[in-house]
Amino acid sequence: MTEQQHHSLISRLESRLHENAAHHPQPQQAASPKPTEPRHERNVADLMVQCLVQEGVEVIFGIPGEENIPFIEALERDGRIRFVVTRHEQGAGFMALTYAHLTGKPGVCLATLGPGALNLTLPVACANASNTPLVALCAQGSVRRLHKESHQIIDLVSVFRPITRWTNMILSPEAVTETMRKGFALAQRKRPAATCIILPEDIAEQPAPADAEPLSRALQVHTVPTPADIDAAADIIAKAKHPIILAGNGVSRAHADYQLRILSEQLNLPVATTFEGKGVFSDRHDNALGVVGFMRHDYENFAFDDADLIIAIGFSIQQFDPVKINPKNDKKIIHINTFVEDTDAHYTTTLNIMADIDATLTQLIDALRERDVRFDDMESDIRRLLTDEFTSRKDDDSFPMKPQRVVYDTRRALGDSDVALVDTGALKMWMARLYPTYLPNTCIIDNSLSTMGWTLPGAVGASLARHGRPVLAVMGDGSFMMNMQEIETAVRLGCHIVILVWVDRAYGLIKWKMDLHAGHHDDVDFGNPDFVKLAESFGATGTLIQAANELGPAIEAAMTADGGVHVIACPVDYSENMKLTDKLGELELPG
């Protein structure tokens, strides 16, 4: 067809359309609508997303896969939940875990089947161990091939069941709303935990039941202690000679830090916290003893040696082995928490109060005030020893830097409400013991599963939970390299995080323990990349500390910068490790 013939044909078609319009005029209100996409029939994946919205979910961390494409498409159609693409499923899980820790709401992470789901097991187990509410969503292959050996098929229910409170696979559209509600309800029980919901690909694409709607969230009912429990606790405390309070992370979950302080002040009782409980009792307070949890007999253990009663509040034995504070099992213990503690030969409780912690402390304070119970001042050098050690190297300009100087400069560079996430390794021992903490959830440490590599992705989750306020992740060089790919995620999201890497070119804590065990170490040393170039390759800012006086200003500048991801590599002299354990092994407090 020539160009002239083509134009002639178009003219004839246009004339015919005009003629038809003249003979069959259309009412004005029926003007031709704009072209629209075909109407989408709601499927199971859409219904799941509706359930997530009903549960208050605002963000999901994860990686798309072939089998969860229907779910990703449903998220995009709905548009009310933000999906954060991560660089590894493990990173997604730690982001969700830390987001949950800071918000109190269940974190949600997503993986596809097989390898993707297996990569989620570590953060899921970590959430379960640390009593953090988390819901993992995993895809699965079609139901028709689950009964046989098939590509990427793993029995995910069997995999996740031992590391969650509850795991279930959705096998019919009718089960969606009940399964989703149950998954979130069990994650938020009185002992928060992880749950896992598995969705086969073919079920995801099936039509949702026409009448199916998300189930309403149940109101959280807080159990109050009985008058008999309060009277019994008050009697035990009044008859004690040297009581001491041990506070765990349950205090922060219950927002009971104020009542904890009132109880301590009213009775004039010393308070020690677990690593995970740091901040629930301000280290500025005269009654603060610091933390228990170090691998040797530390300063605060002397206060437990003299105690005849331990008032354990928000404590669970996964946070700390009770044998170190009750080696002879000769102390009375009052256990105050929302759940019954597991059995331990050195944690045989005299009284268990399973109720809301804040309500329990409020009523206990009133009961003890009526009895006019108060204890004499504690004669102890513990606070002085802690302060002396914290400041012992503040003017030490030796390089690589002493751990005490690193902790001191880090604390001075951060405000009271700034959040520091502390990874596992030798640095955890120094930060947990010496880093003064003044508010709950401002120094977060995993001492339940004690996972390496969680703080870098955790800082991304914390940044979103804190709406962009700066977050510090403190890591060893071993843990940093385990999840450093999430720097790209942080840069892409526009997070403001500072990553302080303690550099010693070894798995420092294992080296320390080998030296304690056998006097030498093996197979713990490694090399490192150029941390500055590595950071810059991701679009982050990299800094290498080359003198002791550079660290404090570098952290402060990064925390107060106008956003961005900052990696600060600081060489550390861990010869102080053995000096510390030698000193504590010989330490005796004056009587």
Side-chain angles (χ1 to χ4, degrees):
M1 180 183 296
T2 66
E3 185 176 350
Q4 184 178 1
Q5 290 173 325
H6 173 75
H7 285 299
S8 176
L9 176 61
I10 294 298
S11 298
R12 288 199 303 272
L13 289 173
E14 287 178 345
S15 298
R16 186 172 299 174
L17 287 173
H18 287 306
E19 289 175 4
N20 288 339
H23 287 92
H24 304 282
Q26 299 295 318
Q28 285 188 340
Q29 63 269 27
S32 299
K34 294 181 180 179
T36 58
E37 294 182 4
R39 183 178 179 275
H40 171 75
E41 182 180 11
R42 187 179 66 152
N43 60 24
V44 164
D46 292 309
L47 182 56
M48 278 189 68
V49 171
Q50 288 181 293
C51 292
L52 291 167
V53 171
Q54 175 72 10
E55 295 294 342
V57 175
E58 296 174 340
V59 59
I60 297 174
F61 305 90
I63 296 181
E66 182 179 347
E67 284 71 16
N68 62 24
I69 288 176
F71 181 81
I72 296 293
E73 291 175 340
L75 276 178
E76 293 302 314
R77 276 192 296 271
D78 185 274
R80 289 177 287 179
I81 296 176
R82 181 180 187 180
F83 184 69
V84 172
V85 177
T86 66
R87 302 308 300 267
H88 195 284
E89 290 87 357
Q90 188 180 117
F94 287 130
M95 291 176 199
L97 183 155
T98 311
Y99 182 90
H101 186 103
L102 289 172
T103 64
K105 300 185 294 186
V108 182
C109 50
L110 173 74
T112 189
L113 82 174
L118 292 174
N119 283 341
L120 272 185
T121 55
L122 180 56
V124 168
C126 184
N128 207 54
S130 61
N131 303 140
T132 304
L134 183 141
V135 178
L137 304 175
C138 297
Q140 182 56 289
S142 297
V143 174
R144 64 178 179 274
R145 62 188 182 99
L146 297 183
H147 66 283
K148 59 183 179 180
E149 294 182 4
S150 187
H151 180 63
Q152 293 192 315
I153 293 293
I154 297 288
D155 183 355
L156 295 181
V157 173
S158 296
V159 167
F160 280 92
R161 186 168 282 154
I163 57 173
T164 61
R165 169 165 292 149
W166 182 73
T167 292
N168 189 61
M169 183 158 59
I170 296 175
L171 293 175
S172 71
E174 290 74 21
V176 172
T177 57
E178 292 177 344
T179 300
M180 296 297 289
R181 178 80 280 272
K182 186 173 182 178
F184 278 83
L186 292 179
Q188 299 174 86
R189 277 196 172 177
K190 295 176 182 178
R191 183 169 192 163
T195 61
C196 180
I197 297 171
I198 301 160
L199 181 64
E201 180 183 21
D202 55 343
I203 301 296
E205 294 184 298
Q206 289 185 17
D211 58 349
E213 295 296 334
L215 301 181
S216 299
R217 284 186 282 172
L219 294 175
Q220 292 283 350
V221 178
H222 297 284
T223 305
V224 296
T226 67
D229 285 340
I230 296 299
D231 286 342
D235 284 341
I236 294 170
I237 294 170
K239 293 175 182 177
K241 294 181 179 179
H242 299 290
I244 187 172
I245 296 173
L246 173 63
N249 61 8
V251 175
S252 60
R253 281 199 306 272
H255 305 289
D257 49 295
Y258 173 77
Q259 295 299 338
L260 173 63
R261 179 174 64 81
I262 297 300
L263 179 68
S264 170
E265 291 176 349
Q266 180 174 304
L267 300 181
N268 194 34
L269 289 186
V271 178
T273 75
T274 63
F275 282 16
E276 294 188 5
K278 274 183 75 69
V280 299
F281 194 81
S282 173
D283 283 321
R284 286 198 182 97
H285 201 287
D286 289 341
N287 289 346
L289 292 180
V291 299
V292 292
F294 188 54
M295 52 193 180
R296 282 292 181 95
H297 200 87
D298 210 344
Y299 306 137
E300 38 294 306
N301 288 84
F302 288 97
F304 284 92
D305 292 345
D306 294 337
D308 60 341
L309 170 65
I310 299 172
I311 307 170
I313 306 171
F315 172 74
S316 60
I317 61 177
Q318 274 182 308
Q319 299 176 53
F320 173 66
D321 189 348
V323 70
K324 294 183 180 179
I325 54 174
N326 191 20
K328 299 177 182 177
N329 195 28
D330 58 351
K331 304 181 191 305
K332 292 184 176 180
I333 299 174
I334 297 175
H335 175 82
I336 300 172
N337 211 333
T338 55
F339 54 87
V340 177
E341 192 45 72
D342 200 358
T343 303
D344 187 281
H346 297 275
Y347 197 75
T348 53
T349 53
T350 309
L351 175 66
N352 288 307
I353 301 180
M354 302 300 106
D356 178 76
I357 295 174
D358 189 69
T360 300
L361 295 185
T362 299
Q363 294 186 31
L364 186 57
I365 288 167
D366 291 341
L368 290 165
R369 185 181 293 117
E370 291 177 1
R371 297 169 188 242
D372 196 26
V373 178
R374 186 173 174 82
F375 295 90
D376 295 333
D377 288 338
M378 176 184 62
E379 294 292 335
S380 173
D381 291 324
I382 292 173
R383 282 185 56 78
R384 177 183 60 79
L385 287 166
L386 284 170
T387 301
D388 288 350
E389 188 178 340
F390 172 60
T391 58
S392 63
R393 300 285 189 173
K394 66 184 180 68
D395 298 317
D396 188 328
D397 289 331
S398 59
F399 195 81
M401 294 178 67
K402 297 294 190 289
Q404 299 95 321
R405 173 75 188 265
V406 177
V407 176
Y408 182 83
D409 286 358
T410 301
R411 176 67 276 182
R412 292 196 66 187
L414 268 63
D416 287 7
S417 61
D418 285 332
V419 170
L421 312 178
V422 179
D423 219 292
T424 294
L427 68 101
K428 181 171 80 171
M429 298 300 169
W430 290 104
M431 285 289 291
R433 294 180 66 255
L434 296 184
Y435 183 82
T437 309
Y438 312 118
L439 296 168
N441 287 333
T442 55
C443 181
I444 304 174
I445 300 175
D446 169 24
N447 208 44
S448 292
L449 198 59
S450 289
T451 309
M452 288 184 70
W454 73 272
T455 58
L456 200 165
V460 177
S463 177
L464 295 186
R466 288 170 53 82
H467 305 292
R469 284 179 287 172
V471 177
L472 175 70
V474 185
M475 317 184 74
D477 45 3
S479 58
F480 172 77
M481 293 300 294
M482 290 183 175
N483 272 315
M484 57 87 182
Q485 70 278 352
E486 300 303 344
I487 295 175
E488 189 279 328
T489 307
V491 171
R492 173 168 28 94
L493 295 178
C495 295
H496 186 183
I497 65 175
V498 181
I499 305 159
L500 174 61
V501 184
W502 293 33
V503 179
D504 71 321
R505 297 176 177 270
Y507 293 114
L509 182 59
I510 305 306
K511 178 186 282 190
W512 190 354
K513 292 194 174 185
M514 282 182 173
D515 288 341
L516 284 171
H517 183 262
H520 63 88
H521 54 265
D522 303 289
D523 305 317
V524 291
D525 298 302
F526 49 73
N528 279 321
D530 183 323
F531 290 115
V532 173
K533 290 182 179 178
L534 179 68
E536 290 174 349
S537 71
F538 281 112
T541 301
T543 302
L544 176 63
I545 301 302
Q546 296 178 302
N549 62 3
E550 294 177 0
L551 178 61
I555 298 174
E556 186 173 356
M559 292 291 290
T560 57
D562 187 19
V565 178
H566 306 260
V567 178
I568 302 172
C570 179
V572 177
D573 175 12
Y574 273 137
S575 65
E576 293 292 300
N577 293 352
M578 291 299 292
K579 295 176 184 178
L580 174 64
T581 45
D582 288 345
K583 179 179 72 173
L584 293 179
E586 300 169 357
L587 181 67
E588 290 186 9
L589 291 184

